């Protein structure tokens, strides 16, 4: 199921980020994707289940949340090191990364959601 | 009263009770600000050199030595430092013939640049509270990003000329792609657009102003909004990251709309800057070099996209990061390139960037442990004192000591 990922800022996640970026709380608030109900059905993804989000730039496993309001074709992720796995490293002439419009494939997965430490390990591998 | 450095509103009405070195009670903080205050005791960084815990002095000396030996250093961050620290940082960049860039480079730099150059008119948040009768929040969600924006300045207050407040005297619109918390507050005036639809909406808005039929689905709603916008005594547009990213490289579209509105009434723009003193850094660097970010001092003063953090992360041979966490906030592919560069990081907290840094220098939390001044999102200077004693030096102090040693 192909969607456009749009990142956003969430106040609860911002609070958790201020307090401790290595906390479980911050991971819970950050490593999520908000899906449209019908998109989730098409992708075979249930509320609270792990979902693989894969763009041309990278892939990341996060937890699926089903939005109350409809936004077919769009999926929202809080801006975080998890969403940044998907943002293209290639930029246009402005050298401003495209944080808010990322084409990605979503699918159900049994894989685990990475911790910040996992993300860091991969960064230096 | 204390000042909160949790965002660029720099709320200066924070009441704090202190018992010795710890804060026992606070009043007026929003959730985000409260998080900042709570971070005083959470996960602080420790001085480190090459993975080994050391003294702050040794970390500073090592940082100075690395800067001395670097051929293409980059100094990045700055939006969470005081004006005093930023001034030292620019001095250090000159001395080290370094590239200097700040977080505006990957967010709202293009809009702030137009405001600082006076290419588009701006005003203060106090003007908004007293006179701003027609507001457009565009690609932003103040309810989440600047939680007291609407209550202290923009929407709810009864201003000098707006005694009936938002009930009668003030109209606010929200243009966004997401039905955000702010969209719930401004439900009747929420204009939902598709991703990247900002430029098309501007075309439609300009068409209505020219008396033409706009090419949108709900023509009636847009014409009604434009009629309201035209009647403003003082309108204010608050662009956020949504608009900044959607119009990147085409910010003349925003200017075209603002100019057109200003032919018949008065509209100002205040950028919804995130970090507490990004606006300050942009102003300081502009005053010194004529550019708000992306400057190289390697050979006089040069400016351009090659000096952006996105490019310099791939080309520098040393990165000094001040109060920022680029390993977390850059796209992973660029962060990976930066992670290969030796990094010196100044930060009050442990971050993804400190974890990968050769040298870590812990610093005081400004606004709580360190005093100074900063520019609010509207460019107004706010001063603050330290409210608790700290064992950590301020960014300014660390940068001064590095400057002495270099």
């Amino acid at each position: 199921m192909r969607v456009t990922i749009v990142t956003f800022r969430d106040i609860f996640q911002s609070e958790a980020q201020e307090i401790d970026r290595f906390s479980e709380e911050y991971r819970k608030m950050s490593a999520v994707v908000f899906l449209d109900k019908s998109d989730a059905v098409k992708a075979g993804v249930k509320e609270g289940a792990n979902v693989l989000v894969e763009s041309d730039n990278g892939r990341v496993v996060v937890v699926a949340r089903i939005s109350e309001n409809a936004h077919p074709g769009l999926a929202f992720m809080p801006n975080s090191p998890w969403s940044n796995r998907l943002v293209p490293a290639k930029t246009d002439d402005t050298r401003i990364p495209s944080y808010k419009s990322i084409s990605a494939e979503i699918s159900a997965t049994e894989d685990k959601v990475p911790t910040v430490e996992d993300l860091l390990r991969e960064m230096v591998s | 009263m204390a000042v909160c450095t949790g965002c660029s509103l720099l709320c200066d009405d924070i009441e704090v009770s202190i018992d010795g070195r710890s804060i026992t009670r606070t009043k007026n903080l929003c959730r985000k600000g409260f998080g900042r205050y709570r971070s005083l005791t959470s996960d602080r960084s420790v001085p480190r050199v090459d993975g080994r815990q050391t003294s702050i002095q040794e970390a500073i000396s090592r940082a100075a030595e690395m800067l001395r030996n670097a051929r293409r250093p980059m100094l990045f961050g700055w939006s969470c430092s005081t004006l005093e620290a930023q001034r030292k940082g620019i001095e250090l960049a000159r001395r080290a013939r370094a590239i200097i860039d700040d977080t505006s480079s990957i967010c709202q730099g293009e809009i702030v640049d137009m405001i600082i150059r006076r290419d588009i008119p701006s005003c203060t948040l106090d003007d908004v509270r007293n006179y701003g009768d027609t507001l457009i929040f565009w690609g932003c969600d103040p309810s989440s990003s600047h939680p007291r924006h609407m209550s202290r300045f923009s929407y709810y207050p009864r201003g000098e000329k707006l005694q009936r407040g938002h009930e009668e005297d003030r109209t606010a619109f929200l243009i966004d792609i997401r039905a955000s918390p702010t969209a719930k507050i401004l439900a009747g005036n929420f204009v939902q657009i598709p991703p990247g639809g900002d430029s098309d909406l501007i075309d439609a808005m300009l068409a209505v102003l020219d008396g033409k039929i706009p090419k949108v689905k709900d023509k009636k709603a847009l014409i009604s909004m434009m009629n309201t916008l035209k009647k403003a005594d003082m309108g204010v547009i608050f662009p956020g990251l949504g608009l900044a990213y959607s119009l990147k490289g085409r910010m003349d579209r925003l200017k075209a709309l603002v100019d057109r509105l200003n032919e018949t009434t008065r509209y100002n723009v205040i950028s919804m800057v995130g970090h507490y003193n990004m606006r300050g850094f942009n102003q300081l660097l502009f005053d010194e070099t004529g550019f708000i970010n992306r400057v190289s001092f390697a050979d006089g003063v040069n400016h351009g996209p090659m000096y952006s953090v996105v490019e310099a992360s791939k080309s520098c041979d040393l990165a000094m990061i001040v109060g920022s966490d680029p390993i977390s906030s850059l796209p992973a592919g660029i962060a990976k390139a930066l992670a290969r560069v030796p990094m010196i990081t100044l930060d009050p907290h442990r971050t993804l960037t400190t974890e990968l840094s050769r040298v870590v220098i812990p610093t005081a939390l400004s606004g709580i442990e360190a005093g100074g001044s900063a520019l609010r999102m509207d460019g107004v200077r706010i001063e603050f004192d330290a409210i608790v004693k700290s064992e950590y030096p301020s960014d300014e102090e660390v940068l001064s000591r590095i400057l002495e040693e270099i």
Side-chain angles (χ1 to χ4, degrees):
Chain A
M1 174 72 208
R2 191 149 278 274
V3 292
T4 300
I5 304 279
V6 177
T7 60
F8 71 101
R9 265 84 180 156
D10 169 75
I11 185 169
F12 296 93
Q13 186 232 7
S14 298
E15 182 194 21
Q17 177 177 293
E18 284 285 350
I19 297 168
D20 186 355
R21 284 161 201 248
F22 293 85
S23 67
E24 184 55 22
E25 185 72 6
Y26 178 58
R27 180 166 75 132
K28 265 193 207 161
M29 298 280 173
S30 304
V32 290
V33 61
F34 291 84
L35 300 172
D36 173 75
K37 208 174 184 174
S38 60
D39 289 347
V41 171
K42 279 182 213 159
V45 175
K46 291 205 168 79
E47 164 77 27
N50 288 2
V51 54
L52 174 68
V53 189
E54 199 167 8
S55 74
D56 286 346
N57 196 66
R59 60 208 319 255
V60 68
V61 175
V62 294
V63 173
R65 298 268 173 246
I66 313 298
S67 300
E68 282 172 25
N69 54 320
H71 49 81
L74 294 183
F76 298 107
M77 285 179 84
N79 178 300
S80 77
W82 285 270
S83 67
N84 279 332
R85 295 279 293 269
L86 308 167
V87 182
K90 210 168 151 26
T91 57
D92 59 18
D93 291 347
T94 64
R95 305 301 195 276
I96 301 170
S98 293
Y99 288 103
K100 281 184 180 276
S101 182
I102 311 154
S103 177
E105 196 72 35
I106 52 166
S107 55
T109 182
E110 298 286 313
D111 291 350
K112 277 190 187 161
V113 175
T115 62
V116 174
E117 287 82 359
D118 294 334
L119 297 181
L120 276 172
R121 261 191 295 277
E122 193 168 301
M123 192 76 70
V124 291
S125 66
Chain B
M1 291 290 177
V3 171
C4 174
T5 54
C7 80
S8 65
L9 287 182
L10 290 165
C11 291
D12 54 4
D13 60 349
I14 311 303
E15 293 178 28
V16 186
S17 307
I18 298 157
D19 179 14
R21 287 176 80 149
S22 59
I23 292 170
T24 52
R25 195 178 142 272
T26 59
K27 207 175 155 187
N28 293 339
L29 283 170
C30 71
R31 182 171 281 280
K32 213 171 154 181
F34 187 57
R36 187 149 183 93
Y37 270 69
R38 275 183 62 188
S39 76
L40 187 60
T41 53
S42 71
D43 214 15
R44 299 298 295 255
S45 55
V46 291
R48 241 179 35 218
V49 171
D50 295 325
R52 174 176 56 83
Q53 197 169 328
T54 175
S55 67
I56 290 179
Q57 183 49 51
E58 194 185 329
I60 288 174
S61 297
R62 180 75 180 117
E65 189 191 333
M66 285 167 74
L67 271 167
R68 240 188 342 255
N69 296 330
R71 298 165 68 104
R72 297 181 310 279
M74 166 180 73
L75 276 50
F76 175 77
W78 308 111
S79 49
C80 285
S81 298
T82 60
L83 286 167
E84 294 74 17
Q86 292 169 347
R87 200 168 281 124
K88 291 283 175 199
I90 296 170
E91 193 185 334
L92 181 60
R94 272 188 201 277
R95 190 86 71 80
R97 299 164 74 95
I99 287 171
I100 190 163
D101 197 16
D102 81 310
T103 52
S104 71
S105 183
I106 51 169
C107 66
Q108 299 182 54
E110 289 184 307
I111 300 172
V112 175
D113 187 66
M114 289 200 302
I115 292 171
I116 287 180
R117 288 179 192 282
R118 298 179 196 274
D119 285 342
I120 45 174
S122 191
C123 64
T124 69
L125 287 169
D126 305 282
D127 293 333
V128 178
R129 182 174 51 224
N130 289 323
Y131 313 110
D133 59 1
T134 309
L135 316 173
I136 308 174
F137 295 100
W138 199 326
C140 62
D141 173 22
S143 195
S144 302
S145 62
H146 302 79
R148 299 183 69 206
H149 192 285
M150 296 176 93
S151 61
R152 281 189 72 212
F153 298 109
S154 55
Y155 187 53
Y156 293 111
R158 297 181 193 285
E160 198 179 302
K161 297 278 180 203
L162 304 165
Q163 283 298 306
R164 292 188 191 84
H166 73 287
E167 302 96 321
E168 290 181 42
D169 286 348
R170 239 192 261 275
T171 310
F173 294 93
L174 172 70
I175 300 167
D176 202 0
I177 61 180
R178 184 173 69 97
S180 65
T182 304
K184 285 182 184 158
I185 298 172
L186 303 176
N189 287 337
F190 173 38
V191 181
Q192 196 161 13
I193 56 170
D198 306 77
S199 186
D200 287 347
L201 181 66
I202 289 174
D203 284 343
M205 291 166 85
L206 288 170
V208 176
L209 290 171
D210 289 339
K212 295 176 192 155
I213 304 291
K215 287 177 190 154
V216 291
K217 221 163 45 182
D218 195 344
K219 294 179 174 52
K220 211 175 137 191
L222 188 72
I223 290 167
S224 157
M225 177 173 95
M226 294 315 291
N227 282 336
T228 307
L229 296 191
K230 276 194 290 189
K231 283 186 209 141
D233 277 334
M234 188 181 121
V236 188
I237 300 176
F238 297 103
L241 278 175
L243 187 68
Y245 290 150
S246 177
L247 287 187
K248 66 177 176 169
R250 297 179 297 162
M251 218 41 88
D252 56 323
R253 303 299 299 139
L254 175 64
K255 182 172 159 47
L257 177 66
V258 176
D259 286 350
R260 183 68 182 78
L261 285 165
N262 272 311
E263 284 175 18
T264 51
T265 173
R266 187 159 57 116
Y267 270 80
N268 291 307
V269 177
I270 298 179
S271 191
M272 295 291 274
V273 170
H275 296 302
Y276 89 85
N277 200 21
M278 186 186 102
R279 180 74 164 80
F281 178 80
N282 294 149
Q283 188 71 54
L284 274 184
L285 193 66
F286 179 80
D287 292 345
E288 286 206 23
T289 67
F291 305 103
I292 64 152
N293 58 18
R294 302 179 172 185
V295 162
S296 167
F297 289 114
D299 180 21
V301 172
N302 285 289
H303 167 262
M306 58 288 231
Y307 309 126
S308 66
V309 62
V310 162
E311 286 301 323
S313 290
K314 298 173 220 160
S315 64
C316 68
D317 65 350
L318 172 74
M320 185 163 117
I321 312 293
V322 180
S324 184
D325 190 6
I327 294 294
S328 169
S329 58
L330 287 171
I334 300 166
K336 238 179 180 171
L338 181 60
R340 282 195 283 269
V341 175
M343 288 189 287
I344 300 163
T345 299
L346 278 63
D347 206 288
H349 296 107
R350 192 161 73 99
T351 66
L352 280 70
T353 305
T354 63
E355 289 298 279
L356 301 184
S357 294
R358 283 244 181 113
V359 175
V360 179
I361 307 173
T363 51
L365 257 175
S366 41
I368 305 178
E369 296 175 311
S373 55
L375 298 192
R376 208 165 63 180
M377 64 160 64
D378 56 353
V380 170
R381 187 188 167 106
I382 306 282
E383 293 185 4
F384 45 85
D385 295 319
I387 52 171
V388 294
K389 277 214 174 96
S390 172
E391 59 187 288
Y392 303 106
S394 66
D395 291 350
E396 184 193 2
E397 212 179 314
V398 172
L399 292 164
S400 299
R401 281 157 68 178
I402 292 175
L403 265 167
E404 279 166 23
E405 288 198 29
I406 200 165

